[in-house]
Amino acid sequence: MSDSFDAETEEMERMFEEVRQRFIQSLDERMKNTEAAVARAVGDGEAAADGVERGYKELHTFCGMAGMVGFADLGSMARAALNVLSPARREKRGLEPAEVNQFQIPYQRLKAGIEGAVGR
Amino acid sequence: MPEQETLHRIILIDDEPDILEIASLCLETVGKIRVSARSSARGIVEFIDRIRPDLILLDVMMPEIDGPTALTHMRADPRFDHIPIVFMTARIQPEEVREYIEMGAIGVVGKPFDPMGISDELKRLWSESRASGSVALSAVG
């Protein structure tokens, strides 16, 4: 049993490391997508509501992935930014100026967190 | 028909390939559960008909067909309306979890999930669901 258990454990560790590296490589694109979505999310209309939805989706996925590949703190920071988008998403509307400012606080924290964690 | 004592086979649906990979590996390796994974809920009813899972683990937030919509499709088909569904999501505030349960899910797995613990969590939810009679035993498998 131990040989098979060891092999399974090694396989899991190897796979986790691969996913972790892929996540790190994807960070620039994830942040770029989030910023593009939130830039479109300001104001009224369907395009703004769609921007909120896309930004929310990016951060939602980020939350789920980050914690599983050893970046629980980054996941919590992303969740804080996600929470700011939640009311607008629920109401299917764009962000108000105050919400954009509010979003920037956890989002800039997240960017600094990424810089600290993986040096980018 | 003898009563099935453990969770054997599940369908896992998530649009994030890395989540699919991690969850499948953990469920199969740690939990010894057979996993049929796919990245979209499109054609979910036909897929269930082919696989005949004991349980479905379903991401909430997916493009095209999200988890709640997929659940509605399944529940509309009397052949599959008994199969337990567990949602998987990063949004696990109590009111959100309550909403998912009211939709008909038997439980919610939060993301990030514990890779070593997710199998036990699903087995627990599945057992509780059977004990409470919310699953038609004869229709599974």
Side-chain angles (χ1 to χ4, degrees), chain B residues 23-81:
Chain B
S24 296
L25 186 79
C26 294
L27 290 164
E28 288 175 344
T29 305
V30 180
K32 308 301 178 196
I33 298 168
R34 293 176 68 183
V35 178
S36 298
R38 58 186 300 169
S39 60
S40 164
R42 183 184 287 274
I44 181 75
V45 171
E46 291 74 16
F47 193 57
I48 294 169
D49 193 24
R50 198 164 77 242
I51 303 296
R52 299 285 173 151
D54 300 322
L55 180 145
I56 297 166
L57 181 57
L58 190 58
D59 185 27
V60 168
M61 182 167 260
M62 293 185 287
E64 298 184 14
I65 301 173
D66 63 12
T69 304
L71 182 145
T72 304
H73 290 177
M74 286 180 261
R75 291 292 181 252
D77 190 323
R79 293 175 300 164
F80 310 126
D81 62 0

Side-chain angles (χ1 to χ4, degrees), chain B residues 93-112:
Chain B
Q93 295 297 314
E95 65 273 16
E96 291 160 334
V97 171
R98 193 165 48 244
E99 193 180 323
Y100 300 139
I101 300 297
E102 284 171 2
M103 284 176 194
I106 64 164
V108 178
V109 170
K111 288 181 179 176

Side-chain angles (χ1 to χ4, degrees), chain A residues 8 11-12 15-16 19 22 30 53 56-57 60-61 63-65 67-69 79 82-83 86 89, chain B residues 15-16 18-19 21-22 25-26 29-30 32 59 61-63 89-92 96 111-113 115-116:
Chain A
E8 286 177 346
E11 168 65 8
M12 284 182 69
M15 196 276 291
F16 267 98
V19 173
R22 278 206 299 272
R30 288 179 192 275
E53 182 67 26
Y56 186 94
K57 166 72 178 162
H60 183 268
T61 305
C63 286
M65 282 302 302
M68 290 203 307
V69 293
R79 192 182 303 278
L82 184 74
N83 288 340
S86 281
R89 178 177 183 261
Chain B
D15 65 313
E16 182 69 27
D18 286 337
I19 299 271
E21 193 176 343
I22 289 176
L25 186 79
C26 294
T29 305
V30 180
K32 308 301 178 196
D59 185 27
M61 182 167 260
M62 293 185 287
T89 176
R91 301 290 299 174
I92 49 169
E96 291 160 334
K111 288 181 179 176
F113 54 78
M116 302 308 284

